[in-house]
Amino acid sequence: MADEKSEPGAPPKIDTTVPHSARIWNYWLGGKDNYPVDVEAGDEFAKTFPGIVDAARGSRYFLARAVRHLAGEVGVRQFLDVGTGLPTVDNTHEIAQSVAPDARVVYVDNDPLVLAHAQALLTSTPEGATDYIDADVREPDAILEAASRTLDFGRPVGLMMLGIMGHIPDGELAGSLVRRLLEALPPGSHLTLSDGTDVSAARQAAHEEYNSSGAVPYHLRSPEQLGRFFDGLELLEPGLVPVTQWRPDHTPFPVTPVTTYGGVGRKT
C-alpha cells in the first residue's frame, strides 16, 4: 500500500512515474488498472522470477477458497479485508455474498488508485453491505474505529491480510499490528494471511531489484516467520502451506507449486 495521501476532498493523487505493487499485481492478474511503469516493472520482475504470475493467480484463488469456506462451512458473515488492492474478479464481497447474501465486507487500503476505483468495491446485495476505508495497515485503531460503522465486533469476523505484511519489514511491528486487529475480534473470528516467502533464490533476487526501483519495498519472510502471525490461533488444516495447496479445488490438473504461503487461523 502506498504512503501517499491526498488532501481531504481533493482527487486522489496518483504517481505514474514510480511502479506500485497494487498496480503491478493488477497487471500480473490480467487487469487494466496499471501504467507503463508498472508493466515494465512487472515484466522485469518476471524475467528474474517467472513464477510470480502463478503466485499472483494462486493468491487470488486462495482468497476465493478461504472466503467460500468461511462464509459457507464456518458461517462467518463479516469480513475485514486489509490491503485489498485493486478490484479484479472474485472480490471478497462478491464471493462472500454469493454464499451468504447478508454478508458485510469492509475493505481497507491507502493506494490512491484503489481509492479512485473504490466504487467498484462498494456494490452489495440488498441484504448485505460493503464499505471502503482509506487507511494504512500501520493504523489499526483507525481501521477498527472506521470498520465498526459496518461490522459488529461482537460477532465473528474474517480478517483478510493477503500480500500486505511484506510491506512491514520490522517483524515485531508486523506481528503487533496483526495482534492489535485480532484483539478487537471475538472468538470464532478467523485470520486469513498470505505473503511471499524467501524459499526461492530467484524470487529473492527479483525483490531486491524491485526494492531498488523507488517503489514501496516488499520484504520476504521465511515460512517459519509467517507462521508466527498465527501464534495463539488454531491453524486450520492443512496449515501454513503454498497457497495453491490450501484446500485446492478438485481438478484433473496438477497443482502448480508457488513460493507464496498462506493459511487460515481461528481465534478460540
Side-chain angles (χ1 to χ4, degrees), residues 30-200:
K32 301 184 183 302
D33 295 315
N34 47 72
Y35 296 96
V37 67
D38 306 308
V39 173
E40 180 180 355
D43 287 344
E44 285 299 314
F45 195 107
K47 284 180 184 177
T48 304
F49 180 61
I52 190 59
V53 176
D54 287 333
R57 294 173 179 171
S59 296
R60 196 68 185 178
Y61 299 145
F62 166 64
L63 178 148
R65 295 194 303 277
V67 172
R68 278 202 307 268
H69 171 72
L70 294 178
E73 296 178 41
V74 179
V76 172
R77 292 295 179 267
Q78 305 184 108
F79 293 85
L80 179 58
D81 190 335
V82 181
T84 179
L86 290 163
T88 56
V89 296
D90 290 338
N91 298 294
T92 298
H93 73 283
E94 295 170 328
I95 300 164
Q97 292 180 348
S98 70
V99 176
D102 60 338
R104 306 175 75 83
V105 179
V106 173
Y107 292 102
V108 183
D109 209 310
N110 75 333
D111 182 342
L113 188 60
V114 178
L115 177 60
H117 287 259
Q119 196 62 38
L121 292 169
L122 296 179
T123 59
S124 175
T125 58
E127 304 95 324
T130 63
D131 194 11
Y132 177 85
I133 301 169
D134 180 25
D136 193 286
V137 67
R138 299 171 185 85
E139 306 166 336
D141 290 332
I143 290 172
L144 292 167
E145 181 180 357
S148 67
R149 297 192 301 257
T150 303
L151 306 181
D152 175 3
F153 289 149
R155 299 170 52 219
V157 175
L159 175 60
M160 317 297 294
M161 305 187 76
L162 282 75
I164 182 63
M165 299 315 295
H167 291 302
I168 311 294
D170 185 315
E172 289 189 13
L173 174 60
S176 70
L177 294 172
V178 175
R179 287 193 299 272
R180 176 66 190 99
L181 292 171
L182 284 170
E183 284 171 359
L185 308 182
S189 296
H190 289 69
L191 169 67
T192 300
L193 184 145
S194 68
D195 256 310
T197 65
D198 61 3
V199 299
S200 162

Side-chain angles (χ1 to χ4, degrees), residues 192-260:
T192 300
L193 184 145
S194 68
D195 256 310
T197 65
D198 61 3
V199 299
S200 162
R203 183 162 188 174
Q204 290 186 61
H207 276 279
E208 289 173 4
E209 294 174 9
Y210 172 80
N211 291 347
S212 66
S213 70
V216 177
Y218 184 94
H219 301 273
L220 300 173
R221 290 185 167 89
S222 68
E224 292 74 21
Q225 289 171 322
L226 283 187
R228 292 173 194 156
F229 289 119
F230 295 95
D231 284 352
L233 303 179
E234 176 189 341
L235 200 56
L236 304 190
E237 292 293 337
L240 181 69
V241 295
V243 289
T244 51
Q245 296 178 19
W246 196 89
R247 306 191 179 195
D249 294 327
H250 295 292
T251 171
F253 304 104
V255 174
T256 303
V258 296
T259 59
T260 295

